[in-house]
Amino acid sequence: EPEVTQTPSHQVTQMGQEVILRCVPISNHLYFYWYRQILGQKVEFLVSFYNNEISEKSEIFDDQFSVERPDGSNFTLKIRSTKLEDSAMYFCASGVTGSMNTEAFFGQGTRLTVV
Amino acid sequence: AQTVTQSQPEMSVQEAETVTLSCTYDTSENNYYLFWYKQPPSRQMILVIRQEAYKQQNATENRFSVNFQKAAKSFSLKISDSQLGDTAMYFCAFMKHLGTGGGADGLTFGKGTHLIIQP
């Protein structure tokens, strides 16, 4: 069964450093998403991406964040100058259609710890 | 903006019992989708069931069913014959329908209900 793959599963970084979280969406999917879940809190939408550009972003997704699809298969989330409060589980998701009429598949997440 | 409210932080039932998780939402949209996601201890997000707002019939997936009350903006999840493997966080989520114009919207999640199935 096809699945969304995220690497690494756990990333520890020093405050102020840049991190890149990687995702490989399902191959025939066209819409890509990043979500964040701070420990013990709800899942929050960060950004959606379609046709090589950001489709929608939340107020969380400020200039510290950027997304890229560098090679047609990977979908990355870059966090610059990390802060302690960036520590969270980051989920990538992909879908065939943007209306979510079909299932959005989530990856298993990357746990980011900023120390 | 949409909001999703799950008023039960935690619920506990015995195995084989039926349990209902509540969810209410607020939106000015008329066309939208509602979802229940399960997050087991592995932290993966697994879609349990979805409901299109324009459909009056409640969605059903095996032991999982919803009670969708559009006027009341209520979307509860019923789990029948609960099993130990149902122990997880359950998140209710909302997404507005974008029509045929394309684009991609994100899900708005509730805070979750921690469901514990006791043996």
Side-chain angles (χ1 to χ4, degrees), chain A:
Chain A
E1 185 176 330
E3 60 180 18
V4 176
T5 305
Q6 289 186 242
T7 55
S9 57
H10 190 191
Q11 173 93 42
V12 181
T13 189
Q14 294 259 338
M15 191 169 55
Q17 295 296 307
E18 174 182 287
V19 295
I20 297 177
L21 310 183
R22 302 182 191 281
C23 170
V24 179
I26 294 172
S27 61
N28 65 333
H29 286 186
L30 302 175
Y31 296 83
F32 315 110
Y33 310 84
W34 282 103
Y35 290 85
R36 178 181 81 175
Q37 186 183 29
I38 295 171
L39 185 64
Q41 299 188 22
K42 66 180 180 181
V43 180
E44 300 170 295
F45 168 72
L46 292 178
V47 66
S48 59
F49 192 87
Y50 168 72
N51 200 25
N52 289 318
E53 61 182 21
I54 290 173
S55 183
E56 183 169 337
K57 59 182 180 179
S58 72
E59 58 189 23
I60 301 170
F61 194 87
D62 58 20
D63 292 342
Q64 186 192 4
F65 296 89
S66 62
V67 290
E68 196 176 38
R69 195 140 192 260
D71 56 13
S73 60
N74 291 285
F75 179 51
T76 62
L77 174 69
K78 182 188 290 185
I79 309 174
R80 288 179 280 275
S81 188
T82 50
K83 304 182 288 252
L84 295 177
E85 53 265 39
D86 294 327
S87 294
M89 197 79 165
Y90 288 82
F91 291 99
C92 173
S94 71
V96 175
T97 67
S99 66
M100 298 285 282
N101 196 26
T102 56
E103 179 177 350
F105 290 80
F106 279 78
Q108 291 193 308
T110 293
R111 185 186 300 276
L112 176 65
T113 303
V114 182
V115 296

Side-chain angles (χ1 to χ4, degrees), chain B residues 4 8 10-11 21-22 25 27 29 38 40 52-53 70-71 77 84 86-87 89 91 99 104 107 111 116:
Chain B
V4 178
Q8 304 150 313
E10 186 171 289
M11 295 186 71
L21 309 183
S22 66
Y25 58 94
T27 183
E29 303 286 334
K38 171 184 178 181
E52 292 89 345
K70 190 173 184 180
L77 174 70
L84 297 179
D86 295 333
T87 293
M89 283 291 290
F91 292 95
L107 292 158
K111 290 187 176 182
I116 300 168

Side-chain angles (χ1 to χ4, degrees), chain B residues 3-4 20-27 29-36 49-60 64-78 92-97:
Chain B
T3 59
V4 178
T20 299
L21 309 183
S22 66
C23 172
T24 58
Y25 58 94
D26 189 23
T27 183
E29 303 286 334
N30 191 46
N31 293 324
Y32 48 87
Y33 301 94
L34 295 162
F35 306 83
W36 279 97
I49 199 165
R50 77 168 73 82
Q51 173 83 40
E52 292 89 345
Y54 65 86
K55 289 187 178 178
Q56 293 186 344
Q57 186 173 6
N58 289 324
T60 299
F64 300 87
S65 61
V66 298
N67 183 6
F68 173 49
Q69 302 288 330
K70 190 173 184 180
K73 296 180 180 174
S74 170
F75 182 62
S76 61
L77 174 70
K78 185 171 83 170
C92 179
F94 172 102
M95 170 177 268
K96 64 184 180 184
H97 187 276

